[in-house]
Amino acid sequence: MPFINIKVLKGTLSNEKKADMIKRVSETVAEIETSPHPKDNLMPHTWCVIEEVDFENWGIGGNQVTAEMLQAIVAGNT
Amino acid sequence: MPFINIKVLKGTLSNEKKADMIKRVSETVAEIETSPHPKDNLMPHTWCVIEEVDFENWGIGGNQVTAEMLQAIVAGNT
Amino acid sequence: MPFINIKVLKGTLSNEKKADMIKRVSETVAEIETSPHPKDNLMPHTWCVIEEVDFENWGIGGNQVTAEMLQAIVAGNT
Amino acid sequence: MPFINIKVLKGTLSNEKKADMIKRVSETVAEIETSPHPKDNLMPHTWCVIEEVDFENWGIGGNQVTAEMLQAIVAGNT
Amino acid sequence: MPFINIKVLKGTLSNEKKADMIKRVSETVAEIETSPHPKDNLMPHTWCVIEEVDFENWGIGGNQVTAEMLQAIVAGNT
Amino acid sequence: MPFINIKVLKGTLSNEKKADMIKRVSETVAEIETSPHPKDNLMPHTWCVIEEVDFENWGIGGNQVTAEMLQAIVAGNT
């Protein structure tokens, strides 16, 4: 019965990436939870909800995140 | 002081259904919390927030939920 | 696929009350979500998680809640 | 590593107010968490996410909040 | 800046499984979020919090989950 | 009606610090929300819940946080 909730910045995930994230994260969680048994039976009981947060609503270190800040982080320019 | 949070799929609740859900769930929670005392005094301290989640952001068993999947579940065709 | 989360003060719900709350709130949410269809098929897809919060971790109006404050609220002495 | 989540009614915070809230709340939490040490080093590890909730999705005492109800509360007319 | 929250039943994850889950889920989320760029720079900004829920606090279909119910699900006896 | 939720590492806040955090954060949020009106009337409708998370349940960059890691961060030795 794992319930996974992932908050990400809005606009950073295409629908294809969302599908991929839901699939792989759910499989990983169910696999570890049931190991050494196979994960198959727990899969239908594994839920994953993605929440998209506006940049202006997410603060790090007291500052609102911007697209430039995110790009700089991903590029390692921080 | 109960705080109730209900995540549902976006578009599945009309405003009328939201009002009904908030009313009945809040009353049930306050009633059980205060029983055998009456729930009235706890009601103003009972909050209920509904969160609507896009279908593509909700995964069950590693798959994004679709309107067809939800209809099949409600109809018992699963 | 409703997911219900209920935060309550720790120690205010017996196991019997928890069972009752989970049952009645889940039924109410599933019934409203599927109406006018019967709720039965959505029930297995309705989850409810209760979170118990220590009194000293819950603040109202900037003050930590106490057992006395809760009793006064339920009794209407506020 | 504090993670702060603030749910507010949608439309009640300008972008300027959001920036101010993220800044001041993050600083307060980091300051108390690290005291008597200075908060500076914990700041980059302090996150704050604001969630904006539609009025019709927020219930108090079993009733959906309205703009009139919020104005009455702020004005003290309750 | 992904923030991952995973609710699981209390007692089902050893410390070793927790470490594995945090590592693999964080890497998966950061990898998908940054793709086609490498995930390395986003990793320090990827947080994952596991919440352990008492069996009696988790309801499925209106019923509290039991250890027997969880074993039956994992074994496929449902 | 702001609802504030603060996740912190378990054991890092004394009861006195919790009281201080609840008081100051609630006042800050209510003040910004109601500005330029006084915050007083919104205060009773401002809730703040602190959640304490075990070190082994909190991951940063895919690694479980340790007391040593937290001390190093606060001391600036990272």
Side-chain angles (χ1 to χ4, degrees):
Chain A
M1 293 79 176
F3 182 81
I4 308 152
N5 187 265
I6 307 175
K7 290 186 202 294
V8 296
L9 287 164
K10 193 175 284 179
T12 58
L13 291 183
S14 63
N15 187 38
E16 193 180 17
K17 284 195 173 190
K18 288 179 184 175
D20 194 28
M21 191 178 285
I22 285 171
K23 183 174 186 298
R24 290 171 58 191
V25 169
S26 298
E27 287 177 347
T28 300
V29 169
E31 179 193 319
I32 295 172
E33 177 89 15
T34 55
S35 168
H37 303 287
K39 71 176 182 299
D40 300 3
N41 295 321
L42 192 65
M43 281 300 290
H45 300 272
T46 303
W47 290 9
C48 181
V49 168
I50 297 173
E51 285 182 43
E52 299 177 279
V53 179
D54 283 327
F55 277 74
E56 69 180 34
N57 287 352
W58 198 310
I60 294 190
N63 302 303
Q64 290 169 303
V65 179
T66 62
E68 292 70 32
M69 198 187 304
L70 178 59
Q71 287 179 337
I73 287 174
V74 172
N77 300 325
T78 51
Chain B
M1 295 77 177
F3 182 82
I4 308 152
N5 187 267
I6 307 175
K7 290 186 201 294
V8 297
L9 288 164
K10 193 176 285 179
T12 58
L13 291 183
S14 63
N15 187 37
E16 194 179 16
K17 285 196 173 190
K18 288 178 184 176
D20 193 29
M21 189 177 287
I22 285 171
K23 184 175 186 297
R24 290 173 57 192
V25 169
S26 298
E27 287 178 346
T28 300
V29 169
E31 178 193 319
I32 296 172
E33 178 89 16
T34 55
S35 167
H37 303 286
K39 69 177 183 300
D40 300 3
N41 295 321
L42 193 65
M43 281 300 289
H45 300 272
T46 303
W47 291 8
C48 180
V49 169
I50 297 174
E51 285 183 43
E52 299 178 279
V53 178
D54 283 326
F55 277 74
E56 69 182 33
N57 287 354
W58 197 310
I60 294 189
N63 302 305
Q64 290 169 304
V65 179
T66 62
E68 291 71 33
M69 198 188 304
L70 178 59
Q71 287 179 336
I73 286 174
V74 173
N77 301 323
T78 51
Chain C
M1 293 79 177
F3 182 82
I4 307 152
N5 186 266
I6 306 176
K7 290 186 203 295
V8 296
L9 288 165
K10 192 175 286 178
T12 57
L13 291 183
S14 63
N15 187 38
E16 193 179 18
K17 284 196 174 191
K18 288 179 184 176
D20 193 29
M21 190 179 285
I22 285 171
K23 184 174 186 297
R24 290 171 58 191
V25 168
S26 298
E27 286 178 346
T28 300
V29 168
E31 179 192 320
I32 295 172
E33 178 88 14
T34 54
S35 167
H37 302 286
K39 70 177 182 301
D40 300 3
N41 295 320
L42 193 65
M43 281 300 289
H45 301 272
T46 303
W47 291 8
C48 180
V49 169
I50 296 174
E51 284 182 44
E52 299 178 278
V53 178
D54 284 327
F55 276 74
E56 68 181 33
N57 287 353
W58 198 310
I60 294 191
N63 301 305
Q64 290 169 304
V65 179
T66 61
E68 292 71 31
M69 198 189 304
L70 179 58
Q71 287 179 336
I73 287 175
V74 172
N77 302 325
T78 51
Chain D
M1 295 78 178
F3 182 83
I4 308 152
N5 187 266
I6 307 175
K7 290 186 203 293
V8 296
L9 288 164
K10 193 175 285 178
T12 57
L13 291 183
S14 64
N15 186 38
E16 194 179 16
K17 284 196 173 189
K18 289 178 184 175
D20 193 29
M21 190 179 286
I22 286 171
K23 184 174 186 298
R24 290 172 58 192
V25 169
S26 298
E27 288 176 347
T28 300
V29 169
E31 179 193 320
I32 295 172
E33 177 89 15
T34 55
S35 168
H37 302 287
K39 70 177 182 300
D40 300 4
N41 295 321
L42 193 65
M43 281 300 290
H45 301 272
T46 302
W47 291 8
C48 180
V49 169
I50 297 174
E51 285 182 43
E52 299 177 279
V53 178
D54 284 326
F55 277 74
E56 68 182 33
N57 288 353
W58 198 309
I60 294 190
N63 302 304
Q64 291 169 303
V65 179
T66 62
E68 291 72 31
M69 199 188 303
L70 178 58
Q71 287 179 336
I73 287 174
V74 172
N77 301 325
T78 50
Chain E
M1 293 81 176
F3 182 82
I4 307 154
N5 186 266
I6 306 176
K7 290 185 203 294
V8 297
L9 288 164
K10 193 176 286 179
T12 58
L13 291 184
S14 63
N15 187 37
E16 193 180 17
K17 283 195 173 191
K18 288 179 185 177
D20 194 28
M21 191 178 286
I22 286 171
K23 184 175 186 296
R24 290 171 59 191
V25 168
S26 298
E27 287 177 347
T28 300
V29 168
E31 179 193 320
I32 295 172
E33 177 88 15
T34 54
S35 167
H37 303 286
K39 70 176 183 300
D40 301 3
N41 295 320
L42 193 64
M43 281 300 289
H45 301 273
T46 303
W47 290 8
C48 180
V49 169
I50 296 174
E51 284 181 43
E52 299 177 278
V53 178
D54 284 326
F55 277 75
E56 67 181 34
N57 287 353
W58 197 310
I60 293 191
N63 302 305
Q64 289 170 304
V65 179
T66 62
E68 292 71 30
M69 199 188 302
L70 178 59
Q71 287 179 336
I73 287 174
V74 172
N77 301 326
T78 51
Chain F
M1 293 81 176
F3 181 82
I4 307 153
N5 186 266
I6 306 175
K7 290 185 203 295
V8 297
L9 288 164
K10 192 176 286 179
T12 57
L13 290 183
S14 63
N15 187 38
E16 193 179 18
K17 284 195 173 192
K18 289 178 183 176
D20 193 29
M21 191 179 285
I22 285 171
K23 182 173 187 298
R24 291 172 57 191
V25 169
S26 298
E27 288 177 346
T28 300
V29 168
E31 178 193 320
I32 295 172
E33 178 89 15
T34 54
S35 166
H37 303 286
K39 69 176 183 300
D40 300 3
N41 295 321
L42 193 65
M43 281 300 289
H45 301 271
T46 303
W47 291 8
C48 180
V49 169
I50 296 174
E51 285 182 44
E52 298 178 280
V53 178
D54 283 327
F55 277 74
E56 69 182 33
N57 287 353
W58 197 310
I60 294 191
N63 301 305
Q64 291 169 302
V65 179
T66 61
E68 292 70 32
M69 199 187 304
L70 178 58
Q71 287 179 335
I73 286 174
V74 172
N77 301 326
T78 51

